[in-house]
Amino acid sequence: MEKMFCFQCQETAKNEGCTIKGVCGKTADVANLQDLLMYICKGISHYTVALRKFGIEMNEINKFITDSLFMTITNANFYRSRFITRLRIAYEMRNAAKEQLAKAGGNVDAITFDGALWQGYTEAEMDEKALSVGVLSTENIDVRSLRELTIYGLKGMAAYLEHAFNLGYEVSEIYAFMQKALVATTDDSLSADDLTALVLETGQYGVQAMALLDKANTTSYGNPEITQVNIGVRTNPGILISGHDLKDMEELLKQTEGTGVDVYTHSEMLPAHYYPAFKKYSHFVGNYGSSWWHQVEDFENFNGVILFTTNCIVPPRKTSTYSDRVYTTGASGFDGFKHIADRKDGKPKDFSALIEHAKRCAPPKEIEQGTIVGGFAHNQVIALADKVVEAVKSGAIRKFFVMGGCDGRMNGRNYYTEFAQRLPSDTVILTAGCAKYRYNKLKLGTINGIPRVLDAGQCNDSYSLAKIALALKDAFGLDDLNDLPIVYNIAWYEQKAVIVLLALLYLGVKNIHLGPTLPAFLSPNVANVLVNNFGISGIGTVDEDLKAML
Ligand code: FSO
Ligand code: SF4
């Protein structure tokens, strides 16, 4: 029997599944405990779905399930003891929901799903049970594929909802859908068609989740605007903040003000520089290094303190010397990194330990100089719409290439650098997510003053790219989004990219190219459905694809 089975990300072993240890570094025991946590969350959802029929909503559980989904996303949390503790809390939450249901007059005995009943408090019981509740417990490969596609979409959605929640934004219908969908993944009576519909419905809620986060971010911090971001360093010691959570960003900037400690962003936090509310901080220096997987070198060079607000964490090498300088917070965690506790009673997180630690560190080593430009989220691009439309009408811009998504370690990802480099000079790249690091430092020039790489922000800001496409559709008086001169050549890595993809499908975008490989969790039949109904395809060589896409 396999020690574990996980195939949720693009780097899964042999593009089939990690069975001994994750390519990401996740150990088998942690992978299995994550499966068990999902199993119990499905069980809790059986009760909350029933409770909603009585008009009862349990807010604490909405938050708990969302956080749990987020914690199991690729590279977010590798910390065994966090999952053990969480499972014990999960049983309590489930028992509370069961009690409520009984009180409301619901038939608790009708809920027979094992995940709604099983509990084991010792680690040995959990480890043993975890072996039998994972992905492979669904035998039919098409049903397994559709169930997992739904769950990975939910995990991505959960990440975005968590950031929105931290800014005070929630929509209870989205939680209701997520829990309904979790229950549906335990229902053996559902056909492949039912599950395909569920996948598409997940995309619909994905759009809502991204719209909610966009509203939360822009209402709290203003609309992203065109910004030159410094990639060099100053001489003060620094804190490098990574991940996606803007509330953490805000609190860290406030607490470091006047302390002599500078703040830099890493990877997916780069777009924080585009928000007006953060620009006022003179100690918010710039972006340091590259995408997530370069962290092993970047953190070594940075010399200062590192804060992970979310994924992507790479386990440090045995020779790494930075581990004691790394802190996690929120859903992220790693055995060996210190963890900053959640907000309590509406009070901010306490980053004082990081700040004191940073003061004792050497300033960052300079690894590059100059600036990169970004901030082309929907509001900014729509403000430039006349210029853009004019450039298309005059032929100055021939085509847009949406190249958002994730970066990753696979060698084949050089494709994206070469593709960007070889695109003709009358094309524009629209991007979001950490995929941009494959080409955002190339000198690709401008067209009538418009940069040829327009970065909208984080992967969740793919919502902006969709809004931009919809605005262009109206500006050109078209009926169909697919008639625009836009090609989608998207790179994926983890489950946030899954929800972005499902959201684009829901919005009616066709003929998306997805690379560097197609997901291992798509069975041949499910992949065929995506090909036949949505024209999804993989990527070929840069030569072939340039010819075909232009
Ligand atoms: Fe990247 Fe990691 Fe945004 Fe992901 S840093 S890979 S899809 O977590 O979040 O693009
Ligand atoms: Fe493997 Fe990816 Fe799962 Fe990690 S997250 S265990 S690399 S499939």
Side-chain angles (χ1 to χ4, degrees):
M1 196 166 113
E2 268 124 7
K3 288 173 73 182
M4 62 176 278
F5 187 84
C6 180
F7 62 174
Q8 66 178 356
C9 84
Q10 189 273 327
E11 290 186 357
T12 194
K14 299 189 200 139
N15 207 30
E16 287 172 5
C18 296
T19 56
I20 301 164
K21 186 186 177 187
V23 172
C24 58
K26 183 165 71 175
T27 52
D29 65 320
V30 172
N32 296 335
L33 290 173
Q34 293 186 353
D35 289 344
L36 183 59
L37 181 60
M38 287 298 95
Y39 188 66
I40 304 297
C41 283
K42 290 172 192 173
I44 302 175
S45 299
H46 273 264
Y47 296 107
T48 56
V49 166
L51 276 167
R52 283 198 179 85
K53 295 191 184 131
F54 294 91
I56 300 169
E57 186 85 24
M58 295 182 77
N59 292 334
E60 217 189 334
I61 289 186
N62 291 339
K63 177 85 171 63
F64 182 84
I65 292 178
T66 309
D67 283 351
S68 300
L69 282 159
F70 189 7
M71 281 175 73
T72 66
I73 221 165
T74 299
N75 289 342
N77 202 315
F78 297 81
Y79 206 162
R80 175 181 167 88
S81 69
R82 291 271 304 275
F83 289 99
I84 300 281
T85 312
R86 203 162 182 87
L87 276 159
R88 292 181 181 138
I89 301 171
Y91 307 144
E92 279 160 33
M93 295 250 168
R94 198 182 55 190
N95 293 341
K98 191 173 175 179
E99 228 169 80
Q100 277 271 7
L101 184 61
K103 256 196 225 151
N107 181 6
V108 288
D109 297 331
I111 295 174
T112 55
F113 171 61
D114 178 58
L117 307 167
W118 185 86
Q119 61 189 43
Y121 277 85
T122 69
E123 295 195 27
E125 283 170 315
M126 291 182 195
D127 285 330
E128 198 202 329
K129 181 72 177 176
L131 286 169
S132 63
V133 301
V135 171
L136 299 181
S137 60
T138 301
E139 275 169 26
N140 180 303
I141 60 163
D142 297 325
V143 173
R144 181 193 295 162
S145 176
L146 291 163
R147 284 180 176 176
E148 295 309 316
L149 181 52
T150 303
I151 291 173
Y152 303 154
L154 296 178
K155 289 187 181 193
M157 200 188 298
Y160 297 154
L161 291 178
E162 171 68 24
H163 303 314
F165 174 90
N166 290 342
L167 293 171
Y169 289 75
E170 283 183 283
V171 170
S172 58
E173 294 87 68
I174 307 182
Y175 295 134
F177 168 75
M178 292 167 88
Q179 290 156 32
K180 180 194 94 171
L182 283 174
V183 170
T185 66
T186 69
D187 184 348
D188 292 330
S189 73
L190 296 184
S191 66
D193 283 348
D194 296 331
L195 288 169
T196 307
L198 180 68
V199 166
L200 294 181
E201 202 183 353
T202 308
Q204 178 189 342
Y205 282 93
V207 175
Q208 282 194 40
M210 280 192 269
L212 181 72
L213 180 54
D214 183 77
K215 186 167 145 206
N217 285 341
T218 55
T219 311
S220 309
Y221 305 119
N223 273 299
E225 47 193 41
I226 303 178
T227 308
Q228 294 287 341
V229 181
N230 169 33
I231 55 173
V233 297
R234 290 193 200 149
T235 52
N236 289 329
I239 296 176
L240 186 58
I241 172 169
S242 193
H244 307 67
D245 196 281
L246 296 188
K247 183 72 182 170
D248 288 336
M249 181 83 240
E250 178 194 357
E251 290 179 353
L252 182 69
L253 283 171
K254 276 192 184 149
Q255 293 177 34
T256 41
E257 204 172 16
T259 61
V261 172
D262 286 337
V263 174
Y264 296 77
T265 52
H266 191 255
S267 191
E268 273 284 72
M269 200 53 100
L270 156 65
H273 293 279
Y274 311 155
Y275 287 89
F278 301 141
K279 290 187 174 172
K280 64 174 187 238
Y281 295 99
S282 60
H283 65 297
F284 190 28
V285 173
N287 190 66
Y288 190 83
S290 187
S291 66
W292 64 273
W293 62 273
H294 295 91
Q295 66 190 249
V296 187
E297 284 81 34
D298 289 345
F299 293 178
E300 209 67 77
N301 288 327
F302 186 72
N303 294 328
V305 166
I306 292 113
L307 173 64
F308 274 107
T309 64
T310 64
N311 55 338
C312 280
I313 297 174
V314 178
R317 296 185 186 131
K318 281 208 177 83
T319 51
S320 298
T321 65
Y322 61 77
S323 298
D324 74 317
R325 294 189 263 119
V326 187
Y327 294 73
T328 58
T329 191
S332 66
F334 188 85
D335 191 359
F337 296 166
K338 292 175 263 305
H339 191 75
I340 301 296
D342 288 342
R343 290 171 194 95
K344 248 197 218 124
D345 310 323
K347 291 203 192 89
K349 286 184 183 174
D350 179 5
F351 292 122
S352 57
L354 274 85
I355 299 166
E356 287 314 307
H357 191 161
K359 287 180 185 167
R360 303 192 297 271
C361 294
K365 176 176 156 193
E366 182 181 275
I367 51 174
E368 49 195 349
Q369 283 180 339
T371 58
I372 45 180
V373 67
F376 297 92
H378 56 88
N379 187 274
Q380 178 67 83
V381 176
I382 291 167
L384 296 171
D386 289 350
K387 223 174 163 183
V388 174
V389 170
E390 184 45 43
V392 175
K393 285 193 174 150
S394 72
I397 295 178
R398 177 170 23 154
K399 236 171 200 177
F400 296 93
F401 285 79
V402 171
M403 287 179 68
C406 325
D407 194 16
R409 289 165 281 216
M410 217 179 116
N411 283 337
R413 286 186 189 258
N414 290 340
Y415 165 97
Y416 295 102
T417 309
E418 205 190 324
F419 189 90
Q421 246 160 350
R422 292 189 39 204
L423 275 173
S425 58
D426 56 358
T427 56
V428 170
I429 295 172
L430 300 173
T431 194
C434 60
K436 64 172 139 296
Y437 285 95
R438 287 280 167 179
Y439 41 80
N440 68 347
K441 292 171 188 170
L442 303 174
K443 303 272 173 257
L444 295 181
T446 56
I447 300 175
N448 299 347
I450 304 165
R452 286 196 51 232
V453 178
L454 300 181
D455 177 25
Q458 301 177 335
C459 48
N460 40 292
D461 295 308
S462 300
Y463 171 73
S464 254
L465 302 182
K467 271 197 99 164
I468 292 166
L470 289 165
L472 288 177
K473 182 186 90 150
D474 292 344
F476 288 110
L478 299 170
D479 294 329
D480 185 349
L481 212 55
N482 295 295
D483 293 337
L484 282 166
I486 302 183
V487 174
Y488 293 80
N489 192 4
I490 289 175
W492 82 285
Y493 171 58
E494 46 95 340
Q495 300 79 55
K496 288 180 226 173
V498 175
I499 194 60
V500 170
L501 175 73
L502 297 182
L504 290 176
L505 297 185
Y506 170 73
L507 291 171
V509 176
K510 296 238 158 79
N511 303 322
I512 295 174
H513 300 263
L514 189 64
T517 51
L518 287 180
F521 54 80
L522 296 181
S523 68
N525 285 334
V526 172
N528 271 341
V529 171
L530 295 181
V531 172
N532 296 336
N533 297 345
F534 300 101
I536 286 200
S537 61
I539 56 168
T541 64
V542 174
D543 272 335
E544 288 162 5
D545 289 357
L546 277 174
K547 220 184 273 167
M549 296 180 202
L550 279 163

